[in-house]
Amino acid sequence: MEPYVVIIVFLAVGTAFTLSAAAGFGGSLILVPTLALILGTKSGVALSALLLAANNVVKVYAYRKTIPYRKAVPVIVLVAAGTFLGAQLLIAAPEKVVTVAVVFCFAAAFLIESLRLGRWRHVGSPILAFLSGATSGFSGTSDPLKGLAVRGLDLDRMHLVGALSLVSLIGDTTKTAIWTEASLLTGRHYFVALACVPLMLVATFFGRRFNTRVGERGYTGLFWTVMAGYTSRLLVNL
């Protein structure tokens, strides 16, 4: 790999980890397309899953005091159930149909929050959690629904990031196991992840510091900016 490519990769990794630590999710928005472009789709997606899983371990430790375990468990269970069924039933669904559905969910969730329809957020959270898992077989579609599902739990920003970090850890670890079993992740990829550990520590520190200083309103803006980024990426792929 050329030296300039290595620099680009580490810049993308550092930026992705910082964003993920600040918002609780969003790392794949930067990491997946960058690594897929440089390494190829399968290798890029597989390495991204491994890096994000390792980074989520650091995030869970950093936010360990503000992880709402009892509230997060139902989302985790539904995400896992959706993933299990989605792998069997929805894997053949046209990607454009799934993309349109995700964009629709994003628009509906934004409208519900803007109009302060709190009851609908609580009702929609389990549904979005299940759909997040069901669509996880499609690159880039699970994170937006996961974000909306956890957002529906009505948590303050610190607990929201903690919950997102825990849910993301479960999802990315599952994907990493699948890619390793399929031999798409080898010892070389794990060595790259190990080399990125210092970046994970530094990025998590700065991301968490940003989160503690930005305030609830600032975090809400960051959250919906990340969601808009995912939506734009999905629309481009239509």
Side-chain angles (χ1 to χ4, degrees), residues 26-159:
S28 62
L29 179 62
I30 299 172
L31 207 55
V32 171
T34 302
L35 295 185
L37 181 64
I38 294 173
L39 304 176
T41 302
K42 286 188 176 181
S43 294
V45 170
L47 181 55
S48 295
L50 173 59
L51 290 173
L52 291 170
N55 186 54
N56 280 316
V57 173
V58 180
K59 283 166 52 185
V60 166
Y61 179 80
Y63 287 96
R64 64 191 183 281
K65 295 182 179 179
T66 56
I67 295 179
Y69 293 99
R70 295 180 64 179
K71 284 192 173 183
V73 165
V75 174
I76 292 173
V77 171
L78 287 167
V79 167
T83 301
F84 177 77
L85 292 178
Q88 301 179 59
L89 302 176
L90 298 181
I91 195 66
E95 187 169 354
K96 287 187 177 181
V97 173
V98 177
T99 297
V100 171
V102 172
V103 172
F104 173 80
C105 288
F106 165 72
F110 183 77
L111 181 63
I112 288 171
E113 175 148 332
S114 299
L115 297 177
R116 301 185 183 280
L117 302 177
R119 185 178 64 179
W120 287 100
R121 288 178 62 183
H122 289 296
V123 172
S125 181
I127 298 173
L128 290 170
F130 182 81
L131 291 177
S132 171
T135 59
S136 63
F138 298 90
S139 177
T141 59
S142 63
D143 260 7
L145 295 183
K146 175 181 65 183
L148 295 175
V150 178
R151 180 85 179 168
L153 297 178
D154 283 332
L155 303 168
D156 63 79
R157 70 182 185 282
M158 296 296 289
H159 286 85

Side-chain angles (χ1 to χ4, degrees), residues 140-192:
T141 59
S142 63
D143 260 7
L145 295 183
K146 175 181 65 183
L148 295 175
V150 178
R151 180 85 179 168
L153 297 178
D154 283 332
L155 303 168
D156 63 79
R157 70 182 185 282
M158 296 296 289
H159 286 85
L160 179 58
V161 175
L164 279 168
S165 299
L166 181 60
V167 173
S168 297
L169 174 61
I170 301 300
D172 290 326
T173 300
T174 301
K175 291 179 184 179
T176 297
I178 293 172
W179 286 114
T180 301
E181 182 67 23
S183 299
L184 289 175
L185 285 172
T186 62
R188 181 183 62 180
H189 295 97
Y190 280 89
F191 178 78
V192 172

